[in-house]
Amino acid sequence: MSLHSLRRGFTLIELLLVIGIIAILAAIVIVAINPTKQLGDARNAQRRADVNTILNAVYQYSLDNNGNLPSTITTTVTEICRSGVNVTCTGLINLNTLTGSYVVALPADPSTATATSTKYTIVKAGNRITVAAPSAEQGASISVTR
């Protein structure tokens, strides 16, 4: 038995072939999973939940106040101001009357909210309220009217 036959290993070509196959399979899996779409779908799900939370808080307020809606809600589509002590709500609808009793804090858009705006909108048409998430991703339209 020679020394050369005992030290048999992988050749460079074999190693490169295996690495190439693994890279192709990894690319196929990443394309199939599409993490960008998955993250967008997750943020849209959060937006749907937030819109419903705001609308439920408005209607709970209405039930406790003889059917009266918060006076700050107008017939013009306006962004909702974030809740907080140091938040200035210039040009935004202030729904801080809902915080505490009806919702712990007003929910904010997961990707576009600012220090002052939730980036959700609210509008009153008659006795119906529409809350929307205009920053929805992937062409989704998120809006709830009650």
Side-chain angles (χ1 to χ4, degrees):
M1 208 184 284
S2 71
L3 183 62
H4 193 58
S5 65
L6 291 177
R7 299 192 66 209
R8 175 105 172 109
F10 295 108
T11 65
L12 181 60
I13 297 295
E14 290 171 331
L15 287 174
L16 289 175
L17 185 63
V18 169
I19 291 170
I21 291 170
I22 290 172
I24 290 170
L25 291 174
I28 290 170
V29 168
I30 288 173
V31 167
I33 293 175
N34 194 356
T36 304
K37 183 182 180 313
Q38 297 292 332
L39 290 172
D41 288 345
R43 286 188 293 269
N44 280 344
Q46 181 64 49
R47 288 179 181 104
R48 284 183 188 91
D50 290 349
V51 164
N52 280 313
T53 298
I54 293 169
L55 200 53
N56 287 337
V58 167
Y59 274 98
Q60 286 298 318
Y61 175 93
S62 173
L63 290 172
D64 289 349
N65 290 280
N66 299 320
N68 296 318
L69 297 168
S71 61
T72 55
I73 300 174
T74 66
T75 57
T76 305
V77 177
T78 311
E79 287 184 11
I80 300 170
C81 182
R82 285 187 86 142
S83 54
V85 177
N86 298 324
V87 178
T88 304
C89 296
T90 306
L92 306 174
I93 289 184
N94 187 336
L95 292 179
N96 283 340
T97 56
L98 302 178
T99 57
S101 300
Y102 307 103
V103 65
V104 174
L106 290 170
D109 188 275
S111 61
T112 62
T114 65
T116 57
S117 176
T118 63
K119 293 298 181 179
Y120 295 129
T121 61
I122 190 166
V123 64
K124 176 171 70 170
N127 283 333
R128 297 180 64 88
I129 299 292
T130 299
V131 180
S135 300
E137 298 173 55
Q138 301 169 1
S141 176
I142 300 174
S143 175
V144 179
T145 302
R146 287 191 205 144

